[in-house]
Amino acid sequence: MRIAIIGAGYVGLTTAACLAELGHAVVCCDVDRERIADLSRGRLPYYEPSLAPLLRRGLESGALAFTVSTSACVAQAEAVLLAVGTPSAADGGVDLSQVERAARDLAPHLSPGAVVVIKSTVSVGTARRLRETIAEARRALDFSVASNPEFLREGSAVGDFMQPDRIVLGADDARSADVLRAIYRPLEQQGLPVFVTSCASAEMIKHAANAFLALKIGFINDVSDLCEKTGGDVLAVAEGIGLDRRIGRSFLQPGPGFGGSCFPKDTRAFAATGRRNGAHQPLVETLIARNEDRKLRLARRIVRQARLSRGARVAVLGLAFKAGTDDVRESAAVTIVAALQREGMRVHAHDPRAYDTARPLLPDVQIEETPYAAARGADALVILTEWDDYRSMDFARLAADMRGTTIFDFRNLLPPDTAARYGLTCIRLGRRPEMPAVEAPAQKRAAFPGRSAAAPGHG
Ligand code: UDX
Ligand code: UDX
């Protein structure tokens, strides 16, 4: 099928490369000329594992092309996928201005019978609204608008696209349903579940799914705080409750607060939709406030617990909002570092990927090339992103390089008992310091051969 994709961001580009790999003829367009020039030469604008080979193959075979011209992109396309940004509006709702503008730009070039598919995360009713926008511009044109939300985690976006738990297709007419099904037929033929519903339901599914996953994280973070007061290890609790299939084990990793380009924005949008429509969502409202507060509380805790005074040096390991990406959008690390600086701390940071992306947001932070360089002379060390690089750090070297002895392991990566042998106090989330560490979940699973357990879904 001939497919146009508007927007070559995280979602648009992954979708374009994957659909080309599945055998479609894909043209992807973006207003960013430099990005399109780079992509046409096979260069990715951001770090995403497994995407580079798909991009190369698509360009080589001719199945994938890039342009800055909306008309060249859209002309002759049977389906036009919208993957432009949908940031937060002032009240937390979805700012649809990019989607609206893109729809007006593409309308003059649509072929008769084309289906415009909204991939961007939007509020309920956007498909209906876009139908009116396009119809105003092209009164005589026969076209459809459909909805196809994405569930791609950064860092595993290609795998999530090719092996999804489900594909959600929102269609209010038979043509939309047929075209959407044809796009995903190669995946449906592999037995992957396709769920067809109305556009409004598909739009709601996206926001409700992200709100629910964020609630799981918020819940385990609260349980983690409780464990620290009462005893019990949050990792054991997460494992113990997650083995109940009604709860599930994924998205129960405590951390410094969820971030990224989706959960914060989508929970705000979900809550704003509730407020605008008189169906308040107090669970999600509370979740948002607690997640914001958590980052500030953790920053205060670092200063208090390590007894840091103004001018102290803090090493921060991890700036990306999670491992596997160089994205720092709404990363907990950015908020925590800024709060530490307000307390007078001098921050030296490291991240294996997110250095160029973090620099503009953290101009007064010294970004180092290795975790050990960040740790040199540090009065305390804080881990904020769960990069594998930090799991196997050399404690002897850290102990020799650091001035202080406290490590705040806010992703629960390090073995505190080993750290203690080097004179380092490793403070993990959700465990009272004197409690013995629980076995890692992977080791525990091995104790029950024959019982299969879903892999933890933390991306
Ligand atoms: C996407 C979705 O759009 C968003 O709704 C969802 O919640 C998360 O994923 P993402 O791919 O991360 O967003 O956005 P971004 O990386 O900002 O990319 C959007 C791209 O669209 C940019 O490259 C921008 O230049 C381009 N764009 C924007 C256009 O080409 N035309 C426009 O009119 C507006
Ligand atoms: C999310 C959705 O998972 C995906 O389906 C799509 O809608 C886009 O948004 P993404 O933002 O890439 O994906 O990352 P995700 O893996 O969901 O993590 C989001 C945040 O939650 C990160 O800050 C992560 O560190 C945090 N998280 C996640 C936890 O703190 N604990 C967990 O158990 C899982």
Side-chain angles (χ1 to χ4, degrees):
M1 183 183 291
R2 289 186 303 276
I3 299 174
I5 298 187
I6 314 287
Y10 283 87
V11 170
L13 188 52
T14 303
T15 305
C18 289
L19 289 179
E21 181 81 5
L22 292 178
H24 296 296
V26 180
V27 184
C28 181
C29 119
D30 200 290
V31 290
D32 184 336
R33 287 181 175 276
E34 200 181 326
R35 176 167 289 209
I36 290 299
D38 280 349
L39 285 168
S40 304
R41 284 188 224 110
R43 274 210 295 268
L44 283 177
Y46 52 80
Y47 173 70
E48 178 62 43
S50 311
L51 191 51
L54 259 63
L55 172 65
R56 237 187 347 263
R57 268 204 298 278
L59 288 169
E60 276 164 15
S61 70
L64 181 58
F66 294 94
T67 176
V68 287
S69 155
T70 309
S71 62
C73 179
V74 170
Q76 286 160 32
E78 294 152 88
V80 181
L81 275 55
L82 280 181
V84 296
T86 48
S88 284
D91 73 343
V94 185
D95 173 352
L96 290 170
S97 56
Q98 290 184 41
V99 173
E100 290 277 352
R101 195 173 55 237
R104 279 195 300 274
D105 288 351
L106 68 86
H109 313 291
L110 276 182
S111 307
V115 178
V116 176
V117 182
I118 306 174
K119 232 190 192 317
S120 302
T121 302
V122 294
S123 40
V124 179
T126 304
R128 188 171 34 80
R129 210 165 127 179
L130 278 205
R131 239 170 250 142
E132 289 164 12
T133 305
I134 297 171
E136 267 171 37
R138 297 285 302 275
R139 291 204 179 278
L141 184 73
D142 175 30
F143 71 96
S144 300
V145 176
S147 166
N148 170 218
E150 51 81 19
F151 303 98
L152 309 176
R153 286 164 302 172
E154 288 177 29
S156 51
V158 172
D160 285 350
F161 191 98
M162 294 299 201
Q163 292 289 318
D165 283 350
R166 80 310 202 183
I167 296 161
V168 175
L169 306 178
D172 292 338
D173 58 77
R175 174 174 53 203
S176 295
D178 289 347
V179 166
L180 286 172
R181 275 208 123 102
I183 294 175
Y184 289 101
R185 188 152 300 128
L187 295 178
E188 195 172 8
Q189 281 168 345
Q190 290 172 30
L192 292 160
V194 170
F195 179 61
V196 186
T197 183
S198 67
C199 288
S201 296
E203 290 164 339
M204 182 58 86
I205 286 167
K206 173 60 197 263
H207 269 153
N210 275 358
F212 189 81
L213 291 169
L215 278 165
K216 283 187 87 174
I217 300 168
F219 178 75
I220 205 66
N221 283 340
D222 279 350
V223 172
S224 170
D225 289 353
L226 194 54
C227 284
E228 284 171 20
K229 300 280 182 210
T230 58
D233 186 322
V234 70
L235 295 189
V237 177
E239 178 85 352
I241 62 173
L243 285 168
D244 182 331
R245 273 175 296 182
R246 291 170 302 173
I247 296 173
R249 292 167 59 200
S250 56
F251 280 68
L252 286 177
Q253 296 282 340
F258 58 79
S261 69
C262 288
F263 282 1
K265 168 169 80 76
D266 292 351
T267 47
R268 284 195 296 266
F270 189 78
T273 305
R275 288 195 302 275
R276 283 179 187 176
N277 293 281
H280 286 254
Q281 299 297 315
L283 282 180
V284 175
E285 300 270 11
T286 305
L287 170 73
I288 295 165
R290 281 200 68 67
N291 193 56
E292 285 312 302
D293 183 54
R294 179 171 186 77
K295 302 174 215 167
L296 302 178
R297 273 190 295 126
L298 290 180
R300 284 197 296 272
R301 175 175 175 182
I302 294 163
V303 176
R304 199 186 57 241
Q305 216 166 338
R307 299 174 196 278
L308 302 177
S309 36
R310 293 189 81 78
R313 179 166 163 171
V314 180
V316 168
L317 303 190
L319 296 169
F321 78 95
K322 65 172 191 178
T325 177
D326 60 0
D327 197 346
V328 294
R329 288 182 286 179
E330 302 215 31
S331 172
V334 173
T335 309
I336 292 174
V337 167
L340 288 172
Q341 288 178 315
R342 283 196 298 277
E343 299 275 337
M345 303 300 122
R346 290 179 295 125
V347 178
H348 288 242
H350 169 264
D351 190 290
R353 294 277 171 191
Y355 28 85
D356 289 340
T357 44
R359 227 170 248 123
L361 296 180
L362 300 169
D364 299 328
V365 170
Q366 180 74 34
I367 298 182
E368 307 283 1
E369 295 209 342
T370 67
Y372 303 103
R376 201 166 301 135
D379 297 289
L381 183 144
V382 188
I383 298 178
L384 293 177
T385 311
E386 73 283 21
W387 287 107
D388 277 340
D389 311 39
Y390 303 145
R391 290 179 201 272
S392 51
M393 281 189 301
D394 178 347
F395 285 118
R397 207 170 153 190
L398 281 182
D401 284 349
M402 283 175 65
R403 201 157 75 129
T405 55
T406 313
I407 296 178
F408 295 91
D409 179 7
F410 290 157
R411 293 286 188 171
N412 291 3
L413 305 182
L414 303 179
D417 302 343
T418 314
R421 287 206 288 276
Y422 293 88
L424 296 168
T425 305
C426 182
I427 297 167
R428 304 206 305 175
L429 289 177
R431 189 175 77 95
R432 279 164 66 168
E434 70 278 12
M435 303 276 295
V438 289
E439 279 178 74
Q443 289 164 328
K444 279 202 133 174
R445 276 205 300 283
F448 298 98
R451 286 289 304 267
S452 70
H458 188 183

